[in-house]
Amino acid sequence: MSEPDVTTLSLNDVHRLALTALRRHDCSVEQAAAVADTVTAAERDRCASHGLFRIPGYVEALNLGKVDGFAEPTVEMLAPGSIRVDANRGFAPLALDVGAPPLIEAARTNGVAGLGLVNGFHFAALWPEVELICDAGLVGFAFVGSSSFVAPAGGTRKLFGTNPMAFGWPRSNGNSVIFDQASSASARGEIQLHERDGKEIPLDWAIDDDGQPTTDPTAALAGAQLPFGGHKGSGVALMVELLAGALIGDLFSYETTAADTPGGPAIGGEFMLAISPSRFVPGGDADAQLAHAEGLFAEMLSQEGTRLPSDRRYAARAETPATGATIPTSLFATIEALAGH
Ligand code: NDP
């Protein structure tokens, strides 16, 4: 079997390449740097699906004028524990960078604080923003609505987005426990990869246009994806719609899809929650709570076959500063061209 044609880049080169490609396509240094940070973090943690792979999509969204590459996010304190960040039709990462400090500050003061990010384009994973919250010693949640691809449990038509949610718990060793997952049974990209490779998909991933379960990826893409775990994933998807849509005054996935234009994910909202553990015990010292949680993690890990969510990423993070990130050479050539090299 022939070796895959890949190119290895240092993490600095990943950042430089992403930044240059975005800057050449009507994007401010602030917007481009925030996206490049997210892309580099994904390559660092070997989350290739949100790394350099996404740059052509970001550039397409800029070229089509769908995303405003010069948008400046604005922050408003609506109440002591309620922050609204308007991304003003820019990419989500800069709006999150701007919104995180007031969210952290408000959670430390009040015990709990929420952030509603509206009018943003979220192309990425949610763990980076949850990790920011956890790094401040807080418990974090994030919820993002997306384009309408998923049928509710028992239904036959797409309605919900693939609607990811993430939860994070801070640890004294710095490696917060974070899970970050879509509420669909599979990522949409997985179905597209099966279609490309001529492979069948599992029967519980999607239904066809007639609402029948299908193993045909093309029929699945024309039909609707299914939530994970039947009615349980459907409930999570519904919650994400409500939190990232109605609660913060943004659109539901089916509404944003109806108004969408080509060029990547539709515009939409994100809801984040930050909780200060020290505000939930008398005396305001979180050490005992964090130590208690370590006991749970140790019990869990004492069972063979288990691992903590995020530990795969942290293992990759320990290696990639030395090994660099590996991407297909064809993708490297595409991004080099976008960067004008
Ligand atoms: P996965 O099913 O790959 O992983 C979900 C979570 O489970 C991760 O936190 C992962 O941690 C953890 N995990 C996986 N295997 C184990 C295990 N054996 N034991 C313990 N934990 C485990 O994620 P999805 O395919 O559902 O989602 C992929 C990404 O796509 C997410 O980052 C999501 O935010 C993003 N997404 C973004 C959208 C958007 O609109 N912006 C839309 C939909 C998805 P680990 O990382 O350590 O493997």
Side-chain angles (χ1 to χ4, degrees):
M1 212 164 61
S2 62
E3 290 293 312
D5 188 7
V6 294
T7 297
T8 300
L9 300 169
S10 72
L11 297 179
N12 281 340
D13 286 344
V14 168
H15 195 276
R16 220 178 347 257
L17 190 58
L19 186 73
T20 311
L22 292 163
R23 289 283 288 139
R24 276 195 80 235
H25 294 86
D26 281 338
C27 194
S28 71
V29 69
E30 292 81 9
Q31 287 279 346
V35 170
D37 288 350
T38 304
V39 162
T40 307
E43 293 292 352
R44 180 199 62 197
D45 286 12
R46 295 206 183 108
C47 297
S49 59
H50 291 102
L52 287 171
F53 170 71
R54 295 276 168 177
I55 288 295
Y58 282 106
V59 169
E60 185 188 14
L62 291 166
N63 283 345
L64 292 170
K66 182 170 182 174
V67 174
D68 180 357
F70 293 95
E72 294 180 12
T74 44
V75 181
E76 203 181 341
M77 294 297 296
L78 300 179
S82 171
I83 295 129
R84 177 181 168 92
V85 182
D86 194 327
N88 290 317
R89 300 192 68 84
F91 294 121
L94 181 62
L96 288 163
D97 284 352
V98 169
L103 175 65
I104 289 167
E105 180 63 32
R108 284 186 173 145
T109 306
N110 304 311
V112 180
L115 178 151
L117 186 160
V118 296
N119 296 323
F121 290 87
H122 206 301
F123 284 41
L126 308 191
W127 56 259
E129 51 258 42
V130 169
E131 193 168 318
L132 262 181
I133 304 302
C134 293
D135 286 349
L138 306 173
V139 175
F141 292 84
F143 309 86
V144 170
S146 64
S147 303
S148 172
F149 290 130
V150 178
T156 54
R157 290 191 313 277
K158 35 188 159 187
L159 176 71
F160 301 145
T162 48
N163 292 5
M165 70 159 286
F167 165 82
W169 179 272
R171 298 179 82 188
S172 50
N173 70 3
N175 285 353
S176 325
V177 171
I178 300 175
F179 71 77
D180 174 13
Q181 59 193 37
S183 46
S184 47
S186 72
R188 193 159 185 83
E190 271 297 314
I191 302 180
Q192 289 161 337
L193 287 177
H194 279 69
E195 184 184 46
R196 185 195 67 185
D197 300 341
K199 290 186 186 159
E200 292 195 335
I201 57 167
L203 200 56
D204 59 354
W205 279 14
I207 50 180
D208 63 20
D209 226 4
D210 298 323
Q212 297 302 313
T214 182
T215 57
D216 175 355
T218 306
L221 292 169
Q225 289 177 248
L226 290 173
F228 77 84
H231 60 277
K232 299 182 188 188
S234 194
V236 173
L238 174 64
M239 173 185 71
V240 174
E241 292 287 339
L242 293 169
L243 294 177
L247 180 74
I248 61 169
D250 211 305
L251 298 173
F252 293 127
S253 298
Y254 78 95
E255 293 170 331
T256 190
T257 297
D260 197 22
T261 53
I267 197 164
E270 173 166 11
F271 180 62
M272 292 194 69
L273 202 57
I275 304 174
S276 169
S278 61
R279 293 286 182 188
F280 281 83
V281 285
D285 181 355
D287 287 354
Q289 292 148 289
L290 299 193
H292 193 187
E294 291 302 319
L296 174 66
F297 302 146
E299 284 291 333
M300 191 175 151
L301 294 173
S302 72
Q303 296 190 27
E304 200 176 330
T306 64
R307 71 165 171 92
L308 294 173
S310 291
D311 275 358
R312 179 197 60 78
R313 287 192 299 102
Y314 297 136
R317 190 178 296 188
E319 292 176 1
T320 49
T323 63
T326 302
I327 63 169
T329 297
S330 55
L331 174 64
F332 177 62
T334 301
I335 303 175
E336 280 269 284
L338 292 174
H341 293 160

